[in-house]
Amino acid sequence: MTEKLMDGSCGDFARALAAKSSIPGGGGASAYAGALAAALCGMAGNFTVGKKRYADVEEDILRLLDEAEAARKRLLDLVDEDARAFEPLSRAYGIPRDDPRRADVVEEATKAACLPPLATMEECGKVIVLLEEMGRKCSALLVSDIACGAYLAQAALYASHANVLVNTRSLSDAAWAREKEARCEALAGEYGPRAQACAQTALSKICGGE
């Protein structure tokens, strides 16, 4: 794959995702959802910076903006990293079953395919932490965007977990698989509920008019 998926438009990506093609797939879609969550965190910060009412947290907001932008870029890179990782796996499955190299090639390609969605989970955890703080400090007019960001980050987190599991379950190296699955379970267990709580806090502000 020479062209980057993220060099095209949103419409191009959606059409490619819907097409009868393995790339992009769920892993890329998950990373893209995470990038949108980070972007919403950035939006909330950018609409807060410069407002007198929030002058006391301006330095914090600027820091959050930098971190959210770094996360957004990293997650967009992971869209393409996921696609690049899948190509060798697709080729490996095309090796004839009677080829003695096949099992080892498939195993290594499967391990490599686990890494981008795991990295996406880790990055989504960072985004959720940023949204938590941004939700406490940004303009009250942006709380719905914090809620949307939290739900997107949560979805990206859980969806990436599924994309790791679909690969680890076929591995012969059970110890390696268990290690990666345990890391995923820890990330999902910590940050999934935090994303839910972040969104619910934002919604309570909307409904309660705080």
Side-chain angles (χ1 to χ4, degrees):
M1 188 182 74
T2 55
E3 294 183 3
K4 289 187 174 183
L5 291 166
M6 291 292 93
D7 284 345
S9 68
C10 296
D12 291 336
F13 183 77
R15 280 188 290 273
L17 193 62
K20 190 179 179 180
S21 173
S22 299
I23 300 172
S30 302
Y32 190 38
L36 294 177
L40 283 167
C41 186
M43 176 185 174
N46 279 313
F47 271 103
T48 303
V49 167
K51 293 184 181 295
K52 290 183 179 179
R53 182 178 176 182
Y54 302 98
D56 60 331
V57 293
E58 176 121 346
E59 287 188 12
D60 291 338
I61 297 294
L62 290 170
R63 169 181 51 80
L64 291 169
L65 279 170
D66 286 343
E67 294 178 11
E69 179 63 7
R72 184 187 69 82
K73 289 179 178 178
R74 175 64 182 135
L75 283 157
L76 289 178
D77 286 342
L78 281 164
V79 174
D80 288 299
E81 286 183 26
D82 185 81
R84 286 194 298 271
F86 184 79
E87 283 188 309
L89 181 58
S90 180
R91 289 195 299 270
Y93 279 125
I95 297 173
R97 291 188 176 276
D98 59 357
D99 189 322
R101 300 178 304 115
R102 188 180 191 276
D104 288 341
V105 174
V106 169
E107 180 85 355
E108 290 309 305
T110 302
K111 286 182 176 180
C114 291
L115 301 182
L118 177 54
T120 297
M121 290 188 74
E122 291 172 341
E123 207 63 35
C124 285
K126 296 176 187 177
V127 172
I128 289 162
V129 173
L130 295 175
L131 285 161
E132 287 174 332
E133 185 176 356
M134 187 68 81
R136 294 192 300 269
K137 297 177 178 178
C138 72
S139 168
L141 298 174
L142 277 299
V143 290
S144 64
D145 300 290
I146 295 295
C148 290
Y151 282 133
L152 282 169
Q154 184 188 54
L157 180 80
Y158 289 153
S160 296
H161 190 184
N163 279 283
V164 176
L165 291 179
V166 75
N167 289 306
T168 56
R169 294 307 166 93
S170 66
L171 289 172
S172 298
D173 189 343
W176 193 95
R178 284 196 301 270
E179 177 190 346
K180 296 300 181 284
E181 289 171 0
R183 177 59 180 155
C184 287
E185 288 165 10
L187 289 165
E190 177 177 359
Y191 294 109
R194 287 176 68 169
Q196 185 71 25
C198 179
Q200 289 299 318
T201 298
L203 289 174
S204 69
K205 291 179 179 179
I206 296 169
C207 297
E210 294 179 16

